[in-house]
Amino acid sequence: MNRQTPDNPHADAHHDMSDSTMTFASINSLEEAFNVASASPEVRESVSGLPRGSALLVVQAGRSQGERFLLDADRIVAGRTEEADIFLNDVTVSRVHAEFLRQGAEFEVRDAGSLNGTYINRDRIDRYTLKNGDEIQIGKYRMIFYISPQSQGAPSPQQGQ
């Protein structure tokens, strides 16, 4: 008979405590799957066709809603200058606002000292390693990050050598 004690507050006379362990998916994995699953069929198709080592940003809000930006280089600059790789034409965006850096199979976003900041999932960041389904906000533009399914779980170049 199991009794309630400070060490075992949930025990009672009708249920024996079990030594089994249950494993649940992480909240982040569930959120990632939900974000990809809730994407439009066009976005899901675009993401499924991404080459290894690349990612896609899909604008969710702002003047360019629905626009897509391919991340397929080691360094990509986002800003209001026409020289930016990702041109975001709004006064809420700094000329050189943020940069996306590919590091092996991952992408990191870094704020470039912008006036209004760079946000990931509504938290202001200086730098952040992106995960599938993360929301990036640059000025009024909100974008969802999707990594190539071929890159997920791939060893980084350092691990493969």
Side-chain angles (χ1 to χ4, degrees), residues 5 7 16 19 49 54 56 62 67-69 97 99 103 105 107-108 115 117 133 147 151:
T5 66
D7 295 328
D16 289 333
D19 286 47
S54 67
L56 190 67
E67 192 169 349
R68 300 171 195 164
F69 299 105
H97 197 104
E99 60 184 358
Q103 299 174 339
F107 283 87
E108 180 179 84
L115 179 63
I147 194 156
S151 298

Side-chain angles (χ1 to χ4, degrees), residues 31-48 56 58 60 68 132-133 144-146:
E31 287 174 350
E32 289 174 19
F34 177 75
N35 283 333
V36 174
S38 66
S40 71
E42 295 83 15
V43 169
R44 286 195 304 267
E45 185 176 333
S46 294
V47 170
S48 69
L56 190 67
V58 179
Q60 298 297 304
R68 300 171 195 164
N132 209 30
I144 303 294
F145 173 82
Y146 298 101

Side-chain angles (χ1 to χ4, degrees), residues 4-37:
Q4 278 190 321
T5 66
D7 295 328
N8 194 7
H10 301 292
D12 66 35
H14 303 292
H15 299 286
D16 289 333
M17 295 300 286
S18 173
D19 286 47
S20 63
T21 302
M22 295 181 75
T23 304
F24 297 96
S26 75
I27 297 296
N28 288 340
S29 296
L30 294 173
E31 287 174 350
E32 289 174 19
F34 177 75
N35 283 333
V36 174

Side-chain angles (χ1 to χ4, degrees), residues 98-119:
E99 60 184 358
F100 296 87
L101 303 170
R102 180 171 53 191
Q103 299 174 339
E106 296 181 323
F107 283 87
E108 180 179 84
V109 61
R110 293 183 188 166
D111 186 80
S114 67
L115 179 63
N116 292 321
T118 301
Y119 294 80

